[in-house]
Amino acid sequence: MRLIENLLVANRGEIALRVFRSCRDAGIGTVAVYSDADTDSPHVTSADAAVRLPGNTPSETYLRSDLVIAAATQAGADAVHPGYGFLSENAGFARAVRDAGLTWVGPAPEAIETMGSKVESKRLMAEAGVPVLPELDPADVTEADLPVLVKASAGGGGRGMRIVRTLAELTDAVASAQAEAASAFGDPTVFCERYLDTGRHIEVQVMADAHGTVWTVGERECSIQRRHQKVVEEAPSPLVDAAMRAELFAAARTAAKAIDYVGAGTVEFLATASGEFFFLEMNTRLQVEHPVTECTTGLDLVTLQLRVAEGERLPQEPPAPRGHAIEVRLYAEDPAAGWQPQSGTLHDFHVPGVVAEFALPHRHGIRLDSGVTAGSVIGVHYDPMLAKVIAWGPDRTAAARALSGALARARIHGVTTNRDLLVNVLRHPAFLAGDTDTAFFDRHGLDALATPLAGERARTLSVLAAALADAAANRANARVLGGLPSGWRNLPSAPQRKTYVVAGTEYEVAYRLGRSGLVAEGNECYEDVALVEAVPDRVVLAVSGVRRTFTVGRHPGLVVVDSPLGSVACAPAPRFADPEAALAAGSLVAPMPGTVLRVAVSEGDSVSAGDPLLWLEAMKMEHRVSAPADGVVAELPVVVGQQVDLGTVLAVVDLNTEESE
């Protein structure tokens, strides 16, 4: 046995913090690496030591194996944990770590190499007797094979994947997937396989030691996905019964033993509603969704990784599962705008009812694994996941209710997130019934699922609360006569007015405070509203005799009102418009900071509504910018490789006025 004394985590954010927690419990020292963009990241200050990797992008920093190993040597680390993503499934990196005399907390490089190629791994699994979907060469796909899924041979996380339903789409889909795969993984190899519209994504957690013991530690269902990336995960799967579980576990053990696997890994399958399943891939690392397995088994999978890397033997059998756990990935993104990633400052972040952070809950409740805190800046260089919020309960219904309630009450100020979508999913009858295949968003309608929790009435009342809280803050900060009522006059006068922009819509509040109390105008929702209390951070209104409390957070250029009715972000409207901010008609602006990856048109080209104009690369994903209507490309002020900021004009399309109207 070779005991680990000081471990470097070759990763960032939430997973680095997760590994550090297990290290602290075991008495192991910790080393962080960080890019310039992550200088103030919580994982940097949490470690015992931290080493800078100069640069911002992954290719300059976290994907530079030479820099990471040099950092380990410089900081005196004797082991490296790769986390997930970045270099976690890079066999060359694993070899380099071992060659440097360091302990590699992961499987052998040969196992990573074998399973790192989806083409080679499928061939091997088929030979071992594990059911697989046949691989198709993109050049050989016929009409009879459709629909197919184009997949990157290396990597995962939804990158380098495209659904193709017609042969006309195939060439562009392959080219796009190759470009994304090359950017994300350094390998442009792609292949095709049959696409199941309504499959279930089931995976089995395995843990194996160097002495021949292979555990199958329960299954997880991860079918609710966007862009082939998981959004909701749970253990156990509502689809899997005892017989199917035995078959899945046997297949997973066969897969692990076929490559002499050692460490934590996940064997992923695509299953049908009838219980038939096919091998997809094996992830030779810890999974993002490992907390649901930890909650239901009581195991600390990171601690087990460390012990196995040190040479310890596992007991013969893992503990039996207990209860049900559900995890959601809270992203800085706008689902209603095509899952558009968001960036900016996270002014406030609090999830209520948390009983454990990065650790096994001591009782049923909420676990939070988050790489951000209030004040964190969400940049454009990395995945926009803010946190994993996990609920562990005695059964599936209890876990879903606890998780949806915690999310609905969370304070998340400063960036748009998928929080409301997650709550709507967890409360959806189909989800509660366990009907959760990979077509969940398509079948139930993304527009409906992304509907804000705060409806129109809630928004109107929240805007009134924002105005009253702002007025109270002004009085509190007044240097002269601050104790006077807001808008006080000797005689009745014009109402006070305040205008806010909520999700692109302007709301004007007009109100008076007189002897008879609050008189608000302009909306029928105000007809039976009385003011109970208004202070800078809280407003209490009696609405048709029912008291409702609105908590108000005030940030630069933003007022966020939280209540049981939903969270409403109110941006105070400027009193005077800036003429320099006006855009020419037909202008298409960058929805996020990024890099121009490809350009499909030239100035003077005629385009139809929906035609791709160019592609941006941001947050490790490719984003298409399309023509809003028929017209002619009048301006194209950007070139391939150019870095653009949020709001940069990418193209101007002179629209066909008659058709656009």
Side-chain angles (χ1 to χ4, degrees), residues 295-312:
C295 288
T296 53
T297 62
L299 294 170
D300 184 323
L301 294 177
V302 174
T303 295
L304 288 173
Q305 283 186 297
L306 299 173
R307 290 177 178 174
V308 165
E310 290 177 330
E312 275 197 31

Side-chain angles (χ1 to χ4, degrees), residues 337-515:
W339 307 102
Q340 194 177 97
Q342 305 291 300
S343 59
T345 300
L346 187 65
H347 297 299
D348 196 0
F349 183 69
H350 173 73
V351 179
V354 172
V355 299
E357 292 190 49
F358 300 106
L360 301 175
H362 63 278
R363 61 177 175 84
H364 291 149
I366 301 298
R367 167 175 165 172
L368 178 67
D369 286 18
S370 174
V372 299
T373 59
S376 291
V377 176
I378 312 305
V380 300
H381 301 291
Y382 315 112
D383 188 273
M385 188 173 75
L386 302 179
K388 302 180 309 195
V389 189
I390 308 102
W392 175 45
D395 54 53
R396 188 170 184 272
T397 300
R401 292 175 69 181
L403 186 53
S404 65
L407 287 167
R409 296 192 304 274
R411 291 197 313 271
I412 311 168
H413 299 177
V415 293
T416 300
T417 72
N418 64 339
R419 182 258 302 274
D420 289 6
L421 170 98
L422 296 174
V423 174
N424 288 331
V425 168
L426 293 168
R427 292 175 176 174
H428 197 282
F431 177 85
L432 294 174
D435 184 11
T436 56
D437 60 33
T438 53
F440 190 89
F441 288 134
D442 292 334
R443 189 168 64 256
H444 298 293
L446 180 59
D447 289 345
L449 292 169
T451 300
L453 296 178
E456 185 60 29
R457 179 175 175 82
R459 288 188 182 193
T460 304
L461 292 172
S462 296
V463 167
L464 175 60
L468 293 169
D470 274 350
N474 291 338
R475 293 198 304 277
N477 294 326
R479 296 186 179 183
V480 178
L481 300 176
L484 286 180
S486 176
W488 184 86
R489 299 287 189 278
N490 282 326
L491 298 170
S493 183
Q496 297 183 72
R497 297 183 183 276
K498 189 81 174 182
T499 302
Y500 297 92
V501 178
V502 178
T505 301
E506 281 197 355
Y507 290 78
E508 184 183 64
V509 180
Y511 68 93
R512 296 186 185 88
L513 291 172
R515 290 186 177 88

Side-chain angles (χ1 to χ4, degrees), residues 191-323:
F191 66 97
C192 295
E193 67 184 17
R194 181 178 130 212
Y195 178 67
L196 301 180
D197 277 308
T198 57
R200 303 280 285 253
H201 189 118
I202 311 294
E203 58 189 34
V204 178
Q205 175 72 57
V206 297
M207 178 67 71
D209 63 21
H211 310 283
T213 301
V214 178
W215 281 358
T216 47
V217 195
E219 86 282 351
R220 300 184 286 256
E221 175 151 351
C222 314
S223 299
I224 298 182
Q225 303 178 6
R226 58 98 165 104
R227 291 182 171 179
H228 311 291
Q229 195 166 27
K230 302 161 190 173
V231 177
V232 182
E233 302 113 337
E234 58 182 309
S237 164
L239 173 70
V240 177
D241 58 18
M244 184 179 178
R245 183 169 294 114
E247 293 179 8
L248 282 165
F249 285 9
R253 277 192 295 270
T254 298
K257 289 181 177 180
I259 57 171
D260 296 323
Y261 195 79
V262 174
T266 303
V267 186
E268 302 199 351
F269 300 94
L270 187 64
T272 66
S274 63
E276 186 182 19
F277 59 86
F278 306 94
F279 172 83
L280 281 177
E281 62 184 348
M282 183 175 185
N283 289 303
T284 52
R285 54 173 169 80
L286 196 67
Q287 290 281 86
V288 176
E289 57 272 21
H290 75 274
V292 295
T293 297
E294 292 188 324
C295 288
T296 53
T297 62
L299 294 170
D300 184 323
L301 294 177
V302 174
T303 295
L304 288 173
Q305 283 186 297
L306 299 173
R307 290 177 178 174
V308 165
E310 290 177 330
E312 275 197 31
R313 289 178 178 269
L314 293 171
Q316 284 302 303
E317 296 293 334
R322 54 211 171 96

Side-chain angles (χ1 to χ4, degrees), residues 20-95:
F20 291 163
R21 200 275 303 162
S22 286
C23 287
R24 282 194 298 271
D25 290 351
I28 297 172
T30 56
V31 179
V33 288
Y34 64 94
S35 67
D36 292 338
D38 278 338
T39 298
D40 298 319
S41 175
H43 85 273
V44 178
T45 55
S46 175
D48 297 329
V51 180
R52 173 178 174 250
L53 305 178
N56 288 312
T57 66
S59 60
E60 295 173 313
T61 56
Y62 299 107
L63 290 174
R64 286 281 302 273
S65 57
D66 56 334
L67 295 183
V68 173
I69 293 172
T73 303
Q74 181 182 352
D78 57 7
V80 173
H81 190 300
Y84 45 69
F86 295 132
L87 295 168
S88 63
E89 293 179 284
N90 186 307
F93 178 55
R95 285 195 184 94

Side-chain angles (χ1 to χ4, degrees), residues 587-637:
S587 295
L588 298 173
V589 300
M592 69 206 80
T595 304
V596 178
L597 191 64
R598 287 181 287 149
V599 177
V601 296
S602 301
E603 289 185 6
D605 286 355
S606 295
V607 293
S608 299
D611 283 354
L613 304 181
L614 53 87
W615 288 263
L616 285 181
E617 183 181 45
M619 295 182 179
K620 300 195 291 184
M621 297 290 282
E622 190 177 291
H623 307 274
R624 188 171 83 169
V625 177
S626 303
D630 295 354
V632 175
V633 179
E635 296 180 35
L636 196 65

